[in-house]
Amino acid sequence: MAKVIDGLYYAESHEFVRVEGNIGIVGITDYAQHALGNVVYVDLPEVDDEVSQGEEFGAVESVKAASDLISPVSGTIVEVNEALEDEPELINKDAFENWIIKVELSDKSELDALMNATDYAQFCEK
């Protein structure tokens, strides 16, 4: 079973968001990185790009497949994890530590549409 962390919010598209103040730290879940296999490339957006909940903001490519990254929240990108440009495999080492973007949240009520850890774990078992 893939690792799921309490206190994070999860989207059905297998992204997570960890909220610290008004910043959402977004990445893909452990379940997603297992499903993808060895990550070889991450298509990162730019700082100051706007993201919208449910909209694509980049992609992750593995030896098996490419998968769009879907933002679980709306807001403005304030930081991009540039380490992933040189070492995309960091996502396979620890998907939760190696986040992809940090977003200044424009609407915290959107978090209500996401799953908690228990619901996400059950979702992944289906």
Side-chain angles (χ1 to χ4, degrees):
M1 169 76 189
K3 181 167 79 172
V4 178
I5 297 177
D6 277 332
L8 305 183
Y9 298 89
Y10 297 89
E12 288 188 2
S13 50
H14 303 290
E15 288 81 17
F16 72 85
V17 58
R18 180 170 67 239
V19 177
E20 295 180 358
N22 201 35
I23 302 295
I25 301 164
V26 177
I28 66 169
T29 64
D30 193 48
Y31 179 93
Q33 73 84 13
H34 275 293
L36 280 166
N38 293 332
V39 174
V40 294
Y41 178 71
V42 182
D43 181 20
L44 296 167
E46 301 287 325
V47 170
D48 293 331
D49 281 0
E50 297 288 324
V51 293
S52 298
Q53 186 176 50
E55 301 287 319
E56 180 187 334
F57 70 86
V60 174
E61 293 178 24
S62 71
V63 289
K64 291 196 280 191
S67 181
D68 288 338
L69 293 166
I70 308 297
S71 185
V73 291
S74 300
T76 305
I77 297 174
V78 294
E79 194 176 340
V80 172
N81 188 349
E82 296 187 3
L84 299 176
E85 288 180 3
D86 297 326
E87 296 182 88
E89 66 276 6
L90 288 170
I91 288 177
N92 294 120
K93 289 183 182 148
D94 189 334
F96 290 111
E97 280 303 309
N98 294 291
W99 52 272
I100 298 171
I101 59 172
K102 291 186 180 180
V103 178
E104 186 173 341
L105 302 174
S106 59
D107 183 358
K108 275 190 159 177
S109 71
E110 288 180 338
L111 298 169
D112 298 339
L114 302 173
M115 292 177 276
N116 64 26
T118 305
D119 293 341
Y120 181 70
Q122 290 171 342
F123 175 78
C124 291
E125 287 172 12
K126 290 178 184 166

